[in-house]
Amino acid sequence: MVMQDPDVFVQLVASAAPALEQPPQETFDNLMDVWWRNVQFDSMAESRHRKMTAMSMANLATTAQPQVMDRLATEISNIWLDVLAEIKEAEADDPDNPPLHTYWNDGSEPPHYWMRGTENTLEEDRRRELWIKDPVQTIKLTKYIAEKLKITEAKTGKVAFDQAFTDKVDPTVLKQLQEALAS
């Protein structure tokens, strides 16, 4: 949902607040805590899930929710740098891959586990088509993050964006992120 429409995602979270007997901001903050602490990004083993999480965080930033903006300079930036470093490391092993793009496979064929049990069926065709159109397979992460940061800055205004992100982020992290996004 965050990838499709982050504003609708925020509305869904807010609509759950009364059932949880919490203010919407607290519900959203609790959700963010669960995402960081219980999902534990570092224990995600599959690279495409890590990239999808990085893309989701970039998309969620465009909502300019205070709970997201508070984490932009810390948890979110760290996720981006982790995934970008992972991609860059894999690139060094295979320079023929497009820069900072899909790297764990060539993207042309879904992995066997994805297709298991669907051979020679319409479901096989459907899954293959989904794989080919999957944003994780088709979108360059650096370009995606840079685009979402521009949208976030436009939505919040430069001063508020700088206060929430540029001024709070560790200068080394900011430099690494700027270098990665410029490539």
Side-chain angles (χ1 to χ4, degrees):
M1 174 61 74
V2 173
M3 290 292 294
Q4 191 66 30
D5 191 332
D7 292 317
V8 170
F9 176 78
V10 170
Q11 289 174 357
L12 286 171
V13 172
S15 69
L20 299 170
E21 299 178 359
Q22 301 176 331
Q25 298 82 0
E26 185 178 341
T27 302
F28 198 83
D29 202 37
N30 289 339
L31 175 66
M32 297 296 287
D33 284 342
V34 167
W35 203 332
W36 300 128
R37 289 168 184 85
N38 294 352
V39 173
Q40 296 178 347
F41 178 78
D42 289 337
S43 64
M44 284 184 192
E46 197 165 329
S47 297
R48 57 188 219 97
H49 292 162
R50 293 171 61 85
K51 183 177 177 186
M52 183 186 314
T53 298
M55 293 173 74
S56 296
M57 290 299 104
N59 217 25
L60 196 56
T62 66
T63 66
Q65 287 293 306
Q67 299 84 353
V68 177
M69 298 306 290
D70 288 346
R71 297 166 192 258
L72 194 57
T74 55
E75 288 112 330
I76 295 174
S77 294
N78 288 335
I79 284 174
W80 292 339
L81 285 176
D82 282 355
V83 176
L84 291 170
E86 187 177 341
I87 293 170
K88 191 170 187 172
E89 182 179 314
E91 269 181 0
D93 294 337
D94 186 3
D96 294 331
N97 277 335
L100 299 175
H101 197 243
T102 304
Y103 58 91
W104 47 88
N105 64 33
D106 66 7
S108 62
E109 286 296 318
H112 179 68
Y113 68 84
W114 178 263
M115 303 303 286
R116 191 174 325 164
T118 65
E119 294 82 0
N120 302 316
T121 66
L122 291 174
E123 179 65 11
E124 177 184 34
D125 295 339
R126 186 188 75 81
R127 287 186 185 188
R128 187 175 317 282
E129 189 68 23
L130 280 172
W131 182 265
I132 291 168
K133 291 181 178 179
D134 183 355
V136 173
Q137 297 293 334
T138 59
I139 294 175
K140 184 176 176 182
L141 184 58
T142 52
K143 183 178 177 185
Y144 191 82
I145 293 171
E147 175 186 301
K148 299 304 177 183
L149 283 174
K150 285 179 186 172
I151 292 169
T152 304
E153 183 178 5
K155 195 171 202 175
T156 61
K158 178 149 180 53
V159 172
F161 181 80
D162 286 347
Q163 287 174 343
F165 179 63
T166 313
D167 297 345
K168 284 186 178 178
V169 71
D170 180 274
T172 307
V173 170
L174 183 61
K175 182 180 180 200
Q176 288 175 332
L177 193 55
Q178 288 172 333
E179 288 172 359
L181 297 181
S183 62

